[in-house]
DNA sequence: AGAGGTTTGGTACTTTAGTATGACCTCTTT
DNA sequence: AAAGAGGTCATACTAAAGTACCAAACCTCT
């Protein structure tokens, strides 16, 4: 938020400077008016690209980053989440257990809790729901 | 490809018109030069946004459409693919069977074939592999 | 018509997955 | 210190998932 305000402040400042410069250049005859206009056009063109890139990464690409708040809201613990990641990697309970250095029984407990928290009947359904929630 | 060329052509045409207009406006005194410059700036700003949006949707979002060639290359039949979709929806073999109006046995056969074709040991692993291949 | 691939379906079996319950340990909070 | 939450693990069970093998029906192409 603070950064956004700072960036916009600098942007406006830069624009004012550009306007003043172009006006001066045209009046003093140092620069052709077309070239001045072209410069401004190019600058604004890139400003448009820059701003769009920023906003696109936060508005139309919401699937990239995981929704940590949702994870909390669903009351999923760290360990349970690690198990969920294991499931998404296509691992069996046994393999997840080996990865996390715990027994298969423990993983089963975590999976069972996960399924009830995600309101799923199967691990594949849990994956689908987790993706819907941008949790994974 | 054709569309891209057309769009760029129209874009360049519009720019030339804008330049001519602004030059005329400034010389004839109908318009303040600052206003003309501002107009150009705004237009280019939006052009920047537009172009960026187009390119971003095709470059940083390559995961959207499925790779049909890969499906063929893996020798996955239509029916098997339908089963794969069912799996990705978190359905059980029984539910997939009901959805496709066949028995659970049939689904098991398809799943088994799918797993060997995708070189997976579990349906969850099949999902992960299928996503890697942009098949799903 | 016959070969070949796909789809369908069954039986029988093994392996994972998932549920239920109880127990113990370790922190953190009250 | 007691309560509560998370994590760990085990047993015993049921339910899915997956494998292997076989067989019939159905297309499609030659």
């Amino acid at each position: 938020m603070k950064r956004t305000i700072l960036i916009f402040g600098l942007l406006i400042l830069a624009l004012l400077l550009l306007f003043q410069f172009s006006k001066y250049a045209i009046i003093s005859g140092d620069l052709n008016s077309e070239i001045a206009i072209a410069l401004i056009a190019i600058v604004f063109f890139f400003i448009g690209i820059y701003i769009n890139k920023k906003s696109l990464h936060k508005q139309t690409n919401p699937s990239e980053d995981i929704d940590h708040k949702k994870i909390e809201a669903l009351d999923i613990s760290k360990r349970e989440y690690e198990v969920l990641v294991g499931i998404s990697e296509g691992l069996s309970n046994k393999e997840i257990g080996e990865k996390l250095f715990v027994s298969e029984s423990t993983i089963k407990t975590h999976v069972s809790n996960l399924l009830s928290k995600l309101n799923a009947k199967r691990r594949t359904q849990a994956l689908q729901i987790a993706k819907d929630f941008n949790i994974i």
Side-chain angles (χ1 to χ4, degrees), chain A:
Chain A
M1 281 304 169
K2 292 177 216 156
R3 266 186 53 203
T4 307
I5 293 170
L6 185 73
I7 287 172
F8 265 88
L10 286 173
L11 220 69
I12 291 167
L13 192 71
L15 299 189
L16 288 176
L17 283 175
L18 242 166
F19 270 103
Q20 286 305 312
F21 165 73
S22 67
K23 214 157 82 181
Y24 166 77
I26 291 172
I27 290 170
S28 65
D30 281 357
L31 211 59
N32 192 305
S33 67
E34 277 124 336
I35 293 179
I37 292 175
L39 273 176
I40 291 175
I42 291 171
V43 169
F44 269 86
F45 176 71
F46 282 106
I47 288 173
I49 288 179
Y50 174 77
I51 286 181
N52 197 251
K53 192 164 261 164
K54 279 271 168 181
S55 66
L56 264 183
H57 269 287
K58 296 199 173 177
Q59 285 174 12
T60 66
N61 260 24
S63 54
E64 283 309 309
D65 24 37
I66 49 183
D67 190 347
H68 296 281
K69 292 163 195 165
K70 190 70 186 175
I71 297 176
E72 286 182 50
L74 288 171
D75 203 36
I76 294 174
S77 70
K78 277 148 281 172
R79 207 55 164 167
E80 284 165 352
Y81 185 74
E82 291 180 296
V83 172
L84 182 59
V85 172
I87 293 174
S88 78
E89 289 170 345
L91 304 177
S92 68
N93 290 336
K94 199 177 188 177
E95 287 169 336
I96 297 173
E98 286 164 2
K99 190 182 171 188
L100 301 182
F101 303 108
V102 292
S103 78
E104 191 186 346
S105 298
T106 307
I107 303 300
K108 280 190 177 187
T109 307
H110 288 318
V111 171
S112 209
N113 291 332
L114 259 175
L115 292 183
S116 72
K117 284 176 183 178
L118 285 172
N119 204 24
K121 285 172 189 162
R122 282 163 292 281
R123 46 172 57 209
T124 47
Q125 195 179 5
L127 285 180
Q128 193 250 325
I129 293 170
K131 261 162 226 146
D132 256 32
F133 285 161
N134 279 324
I135 273 181
I136 217 171

